Amino acid sequence: MANFPRAAIAGLGSGIPEKVLSNADLEKMLDTNDEWITQRTGIKERRIVSPGQSTVTLAVQAAKEAIAQAGITADDLDLIVCATITPEMPLPTTACVIQSELGVKGIPAFDVVAACSGYLYGLTVGSQFIMTGKYKRVLVIGVDVLSSMTDYEDRGTSILFGDGAGAAVLVATDDEDKGIIHTVLHAEGSGWNYIHVPAGGTRKVTSAETVANREHFIKMRGRDVYKFAVEKMQWLLGDCLEKCNLTVDDVDMVIPHQVNLRIITSATRKFNFPMEKVFVNIDKYGNTSAGSVPLAMSEAWREGAIGPGSTVILAAFGAGLTWAGAVIKL
Ligand code: COA
């Protein structure tokens, strides 16, 4: 028996900076080329913040759009959850700054940190608050400004990352044909060093030396991450189909973490998902971490690729190592 209330998606939004960083731009900065990047990743360009723009700029843009689409005002919200690994500042949480920018007072606001799985973690947290009856309207944002921790001297990572945000307003519903019907969260902490930023925390406090050694940038074991990603994306799709008793025909769209086109196709091919049922916008934005899935979902909605009545699978993995999925009836 399904539990009610459930969390339904009432509004979606996205926030992207105007500035484009294309493969041709990277060719001028690094020993790389458009053909290699396109073939190995599917990425053609990414968006990067300009001076004066930050995590909150993108988050608020996405939040305002989602709130407007939900037909409510920010004052109607009961909770704000922000998933990010690139906070506005070390203290306070980004969610509190977003709350202030939205002009809301008093409601709880906190951050969730699970890297590229962050939005799925945040969505699960928001959904749980609704299912327990504690709150009725929850804003969940996934946002990252990865350009702030990308080493543009490292061709193994800098070609992948971009900046972006997406948001959803969750509302309580008793409609059994609607809502978040399944979520799944996992982590394997022994893989913490597959993708990490060595300095800036308490293990290695920021110093002139850590800055000089470029230890505030993302370090990644690309090939190991690749293998992990394909395995976990396949596992997530299998879990979502099985737990919700769905076949590929029942699913209208898979919205995967936009990480690498080869990872996405390898994972979805296992279940024979046709590519027209797999939403891809990695060519335009690269990997925007916690922003990736909600940005893709918002764009899929705007383009009419998904709409009322659609059954959607979300799947993501990332640093931690973490992996997470959800099945949503829109
Ligand atoms: N441009 C040109 N050549 C490059 C390059 C670049 N940007 N980056 C690496 N190369 C070279 C390597 O030096 C290597 O050359 P060699 O064969 O002469 O030694 C060759 O290309 C292959 O390198 P490799 O690292 O094996 O490439 P790959 O096919 O594994 O692709 C990634 C690299 C990073 C694109 C891929 O491993 C990947 O996507 N991994 C997952 C990363 C990820 O998802 N991270 C985020 C998780 S949320």
Side-chain angles (χ1 to χ4, degrees):
M1 272 296 276
N3 290 325
F4 291 99
R6 237 188 222 157
I9 305 241
L12 295 163
S14 61
I16 41 165
E18 308 77 36
K19 191 175 165 192
V20 173
L21 182 68
S22 68
N23 290 351
D25 295 328
L26 286 171
E27 280 180 12
K28 292 178 204 137
M29 299 156 62
L30 292 156
D31 178 15
T32 190
N33 58 77
D34 173 53
E35 193 189 351
W36 192 96
I37 301 171
T38 307
Q39 277 181 3
R40 301 283 177 132
T41 71
I43 301 168
K44 298 298 283 184
E45 59 187 40
R46 322 109 193 97
R47 298 296 183 94
I48 302 290
V49 291
S50 298
Q53 296 179 320
S54 60
T55 298
V56 167
T57 319
L58 305 183
V60 168
Q61 195 182 328
K64 285 186 172 167
E65 194 182 326
I67 290 166
Q69 202 187 95
I72 62 169
T73 69
D75 286 329
D76 297 320
L77 294 170
D78 300 320
L79 169 69
I80 298 173
V81 180
C82 177
T84 188
I85 49 162
T86 49
E88 188 74 356
M89 52 193 104
L91 187 76
T93 62
T94 301
C96 283
V97 185
I98 293 168
Q99 189 224 50
S100 166
E101 290 291 313
L102 291 176
V104 198
K105 287 188 191 302
I107 61 165
F110 60 86
D111 291 359
V112 166
V113 184
C116 303
S117 310
Y119 179 72
L120 270 301
Y121 270 64
L123 203 67
T124 304
V125 170
S127 164
Q128 295 294 315
F129 273 112
I130 286 177
M131 289 169 79
T132 59
K134 175 93 173 159
Y135 298 127
K136 289 200 160 37
R137 297 184 196 88
V138 179
L139 173 65
V140 182
I141 302 162
V143 56
D144 270 308
V145 174
L146 286 183
S147 61
S148 67
M149 49 167 71
T150 296
D151 186 348
Y152 288 102
E153 291 184 7
D154 177 8
R155 68 178 184 170
T157 54
S158 59
I159 54 154
L160 298 171
F161 301 133
D163 305 338
V169 170
L170 307 182
V171 296
T173 181
D174 289 324
D175 184 342
E176 59 185 42
D177 291 325
K178 258 190 165 181
I180 300 174
I181 59 172
H182 174 61
T183 58
V184 55
L185 306 179
H186 282 286
E188 182 49 64
S190 62
W192 67 265
N193 64 352
Y194 277 44
I195 315 168
H196 73 297
V197 175
T202 55
R203 181 177 287 216
K204 226 177 213 191
V205 176
T206 306
S207 67
E209 196 187 346
T210 59
V211 173
N213 290 341
R214 311 185 78 75
E215 290 180 279
H216 295 270
F217 296 124
I218 297 171
K219 313 290 176 198
M220 187 181 72
R221 288 161 49 181
R223 283 184 208 184
D224 294 331
V225 174
Y226 190 97
K227 280 185 219 141
F228 162 81
V230 172
E231 184 196 320
K232 294 308 178 197
M233 289 292 257
Q234 289 180 344
W235 185 89
L236 285 165
L237 293 176
D239 177 79
C240 286
L241 291 171
E242 187 194 321
K243 296 281 166 44
C244 296
N245 209 10
L246 296 170
T247 66
V248 168
D249 286 344
D250 299 324
V251 177
D252 295 295
M253 194 62 67
V254 176
I255 303 181
H257 174 32
Q258 304 293 309
V259 59
N260 180 324
L261 187 58
R262 286 158 61 215
I263 294 174
I264 294 172
T265 49
S266 303
T268 50
R269 203 185 299 129
K270 180 176 180 193
F271 297 92
N272 295 322
F273 275 104
M275 277 316 276
E276 55 273 21
K277 283 195 179 195
V278 182
F279 193 80
V280 175
N281 65 4
I282 192 172
D283 51 321
K284 293 188 288 182
Y285 305 118
N287 177 352
T288 57
S289 189
S292 164
V293 170
L295 171 58
M297 192 167 178
S298 166
E299 202 165 282
W301 180 279
R302 205 175 310 124
E303 289 175 5
I306 56 172
S310 296
T311 299
V312 176
I313 295 182
L314 309 182
F317 67 91
L321 297 162
T322 55
W323 59 105
V327 181
I328 307 177
K329 288 192 178 179
L330 292 169

